[in-house]
Amino acid sequence: MTDALKRLSEEGVAIWLDDLSRKRITSGNLAELIDQQHVVGVTTNPSIFQKAISSGDGYEQQLADLAARKVTVDEAIRMITTADVRDAADILRPVFDASNGQDGRVSIEVDPRLAHETAATIAEAKQLAWLVDRPNTLIKIPATKAGLPAITEVIGNGISVNVTLIFSLERYREVMDAYLAGLEKAKAKGIDLAGIHSVASFFVSRVDTEIDKRLTALGTDEALALKGKAALANARLAYQAYEEVFSTSRWEALEKAGANKQRALWASTGVKDPAYKDTLYVDDLVAPNTVNTMPEATLLATEDHGQITGNTIAGTYEQSRAEIDAVEKLGISYDDVVQLLEDEGVQKFEESWNDLLKSTEAELQRLAPSEG
C-alpha cells in the first residue's frame, strides 16, 4: 500500500466516491472509506441508483411499506433515493463541518428525463433540496443548453449545485458563467453567498473512448500515437479555463461578497481501456482545488499503486492544446465528439432511470399486500 490517497488530498484534490447504496451505508463501509481512504464526498447518478436498487440489498422493507401505501413508482424511487442520500449526508456531516461546507457533500440528480426542460429542472431541484433537507447536499443538473438557465436560477435561490455531463470546453465556460450569474442573483436577493457551493463535473474517460475509437479506425501511425491523450488534454484545458474565469474582476467582486469558487470535478475517472494504467485519470489530473470522484475500484487502485508526484496539470496547456489540434487535423471533429458524448450521456442516464422505474414497479407489485 502507498500513501497515495493522503498525498492526493494534500495536493488539494478532494477524493469523492462515485457510488452509493444502502448496503454501503448500513454495513459501515461508507464510514470506513471516510475514515481510512480519505473519502470526503459521494456522487450518485441514475445508473448508480439503478444498480443499487435492482440488487435489492437492504431495500425490501421500505419497498414493502411503499407498496402497502400504494405510492406511484416515481414517488417510490424518490423516497428510496432521498433516504439513501440523507443517510449518507449524515455520515459525511463531520467532514462538511470541518471543511467549512466545501466537502462532506452528497450529490443527487434531477430526473434525467427533464434534461431538456428548464422550468421542470428548476422545480425538481427545489423539490429535491426540500426532500433531502440536508445542508451538505448538491443537486445535480446536467449541462445541457436547457440546464444552463436552470443552474443560474437554482444557484440564485441559494441551493448548491453539482453541474454534470460536461464534455466540451465551450460548454464548461458557459457553466461557469451560469454559476456566476446565479451568485449575482443570490447576492441581489440578500442570500449569504458563503453558504452556496458548486462543482462542475467534467467527464474524462469517455472522451478517450470515443476519440480512440476514431483514431483506431484511421489506423495510421500518426493517429495511433495520439491514443489515450485527448481526455487528459481536454481536462487540463478545462482547468486552464477555470483559472482564467476565477481570476476575473467579475469573480473578484463576488469573492469579496463571500462567494466560493466552483471547483472543477473530474468525473468518469475509471479507465475503460485495459491498455492504460488504471490510475491514469487520477495520477495525471492533480491540481489544487479540484475534486476527483472515483469508482471504488479506481479508489483502491490509487491507494495501492497510485503515483502522486505533485501538480500534473501546471505547465501542460500548450502541449494539451497541440494534442487536441493534432486530433482535429486528422479529420476528427472535437465539436462532433463532445456533442455526441453529451447526447449519449443524457440518453444513458435516461435509460438507467427507465430501467429503475421498471424494476421498482415490479418489486412494488410483488410486495403489494393481497386484498382481503
Side-chain angles (χ1 to χ4, degrees):
M1 290 288 175
T2 66
D3 279 334
L5 295 175
K6 181 172 182 279
R7 286 208 300 279
L8 193 60
S9 300
E10 288 167 351
E11 289 292 339
V13 181
I15 299 165
W16 290 9
L17 177 71
D18 192 24
D19 190 47
L20 186 63
S21 67
R22 190 151 301 174
K23 189 178 180 186
R24 201 181 276 290
I25 292 164
T26 56
S27 68
N29 171 262
L30 177 59
E32 192 178 286
L33 290 171
I34 295 162
D35 187 46
Q36 295 175 21
Q37 272 85 21
H38 303 274
V39 168
V40 293
V42 171
T43 47
T44 65
N45 62 46
S47 303
I48 285 168
F49 275 131
Q50 193 268 328
K51 191 175 152 197
I53 296 169
S54 299
S55 76
D57 219 347
Y59 295 99
E60 185 133 321
Q61 185 56 59
Q62 188 179 11
L63 279 162
D65 291 345
L66 291 165
R69 288 175 48 217
K70 298 184 173 67
V71 303
T72 65
V73 64
D74 283 88
E75 188 185 346
I77 286 169
R78 275 310 180 208
M79 297 308 283
I80 292 165
T81 56
T82 53
D84 280 359
V85 168
R86 197 178 303 116
D87 288 345
D90 288 344
I91 293 167
L92 278 154
R93 184 60 189 263
V95 177
F96 173 78
D97 292 338
S99 66
N100 234 355
Q102 179 160 262
D103 288 308
R105 295 271 175 181
V106 188
S107 300
I108 185 168
E109 193 128 5
V110 296
D111 185 331
R113 295 172 297 180
L114 308 176
H116 302 295
E117 298 176 41
T118 303
T121 294
I122 294 164
E124 170 97 342
K126 288 180 184 169
Q127 169 79 352
L128 282 174
W130 176 82
L131 261 179
V132 176
D133 194 27
R134 293 293 184 273
N136 51 330
T137 312
L138 288 170
I139 307 302
K140 286 179 91 172
I141 297 175
T144 55
K145 276 291 185 191
L148 295 170
I151 292 157
T152 296
E153 192 62 33
V154 172
I155 291 286
N157 280 309
I159 296 169
S160 294
V161 171
N162 174 345
V163 184
T164 187
L165 289 175
I166 308 170
F167 295 94
S168 85
L169 296 166
E170 183 188 357
R171 184 58 52 86
Y172 178 41
R173 285 183 181 275
E174 291 173 337
V175 164
M176 289 187 282
D177 180 68
Y179 174 61
L180 297 184
L183 289 174
E184 287 157 354
K185 273 194 166 199
K187 185 183 170 192
K189 288 180 187 171
I191 295 169
D192 180 11
L193 300 189
I196 303 171
H197 285 262
S198 183
V199 294
S201 295
F202 200 86
F203 278 57
V204 185
S205 66
R206 293 185 197 180
V207 173
D208 268 345
T209 303
E210 182 58 35
I211 289 182
D212 281 2
K213 186 169 76 180
R214 299 184 187 203
L215 290 168
T216 303
L218 289 172
T220 63
D221 289 347
E222 191 184 1
L224 298 176
L226 286 166
K227 283 180 69 174
K229 294 189 172 169
L232 287 174
N234 198 38
R236 287 164 167 174
L237 291 171
Y239 193 76
Q240 181 185 31
Y242 157 83
E243 288 184 317
E244 286 171 8
V245 169
F246 289 102
S247 59
T248 58
S249 55
R250 182 187 184 192
W251 163 248
E252 280 162 14
L254 288 163
E255 192 172 36
K256 282 197 184 100
N260 301 290
K261 287 178 181 175
Q262 180 186 54
R263 285 184 293 173
L265 177 151
W266 311 127
S268 180
T269 55
V271 171
K272 307 285 194 290
D273 188 333
Y276 303 151
K277 62 178 179 175
D278 54 3
T279 58
L280 177 67
Y281 305 125
V282 179
D283 297 352
D284 291 6
L285 287 175
V286 177
N289 210 33
T290 56
V291 179
N292 195 310
T293 181
M294 309 178 206
E296 188 173 26
T298 305
L299 177 78
L300 297 178
T302 303
E303 179 181 51
D304 183 63
H305 52 265
Q307 300 287 311
I308 308 304
T309 57
N311 189 325
T312 48
I313 292 182
T316 65
Y317 301 147
E318 204 175 312
Q319 177 68 25
S320 297
R321 172 50 60 200
E323 284 165 353
I324 295 290
D325 287 348
V327 167
E328 285 249 316
K329 279 184 188 130
L330 292 174
I332 296 170
S333 164
Y334 174 84
D335 291 343
D336 177 62
V337 167
V338 292
Q339 188 57 56
L340 173 75
L341 291 171
E342 181 188 303
D343 294 344
E344 281 182 354
V346 172
Q347 187 188 345
K348 280 176 188 167
F349 281 171
E350 198 171 322
E351 283 167 2
S352 294
W353 195 259
N354 287 331
D355 288 344
L356 179 54
L357 286 167
K358 282 179 203 150
S359 54
T360 304
E361 189 160 37
E363 282 297 284
L364 291 171
Q365 286 170 358
R366 182 177 74 80
L367 295 164
S370 52
E371 299 298 326

